[in-house]
Amino acid sequence: MINTITMSGNLIADCDQKSVKKREKNENFTIVNFTIAHNYQGREAEIIFMPVTVFGAYAEAIAQHLTKGKGVVVSGTLREDSFEDKNKKRQRKKWLEANSVQLC
């Protein structure tokens, strides 16, 4: 099964960068989160807001360039959080786990 998405848009805010310690090697691991606004031109024009997450050294390298209003093209995998409530599985949030972020 193929799960690849490429989406373009503008950042709605500066990125949020976090540094997390890895347990096994006691090293820092960077996570960068941001949201893009994509103008979808289907039957009716609408704006789609897509949360994006980038991990590792790549996230650290691009974080300084991800500022509000910047145009980007993001490619990656669609991910989904889910949880169980009263023995019923529920979906919570979808986001794009980026493999590539190109600045426009």
Side-chain angles (χ1 to χ4, degrees):
M1 181 165 62
I2 297 173
N3 179 3
T4 302
I5 293 179
T6 300
M7 186 176 245
S8 64
N10 295 334
L11 273 76
I12 65 169
D14 292 347
C15 72
D16 176 30
Q17 181 176 352
K18 298 175 187 173
S19 185
V20 179
K21 276 214 187 266
K22 286 184 182 178
R23 290 182 184 164
E24 57 277 353
K25 294 184 181 179
N26 203 21
E27 296 174 354
N28 285 340
F29 183 75
T30 302
I31 301 171
V32 171
N33 295 305
F34 58 94
T35 300
I36 61 172
H38 171 78
N39 290 323
Y40 176 69
Q41 300 295 325
R43 289 184 183 157
E44 295 181 25
E46 66 178 300
I47 298 174
I48 298 172
F49 296 96
M50 177 61 70
V52 179
T53 302
V54 187
F55 296 102
Y58 185 61
E60 199 170 319
I62 65 166
Q64 63 189 1
H65 304 290
L66 298 174
T67 56
K68 182 178 181 177
K70 181 77 80 170
V72 293
V73 177
V74 180
S75 294
T77 305
L78 186 64
R79 299 288 186 186
E80 180 179 70
D81 272 338
S82 60
F83 65 100
E84 252 184 64
D85 182 30
K86 298 179 185 173
N87 297 327
K88 194 173 192 181
K89 192 171 186 176
R90 299 185 184 263
Q91 298 172 346
R92 196 149 84 190
K93 174 185 166 186
K94 291 180 175 51
W95 79 94
L96 184 58
E97 185 179 309
N99 300 326
S100 168
V101 178
Q102 298 174 0
L103 304 173
C104 297

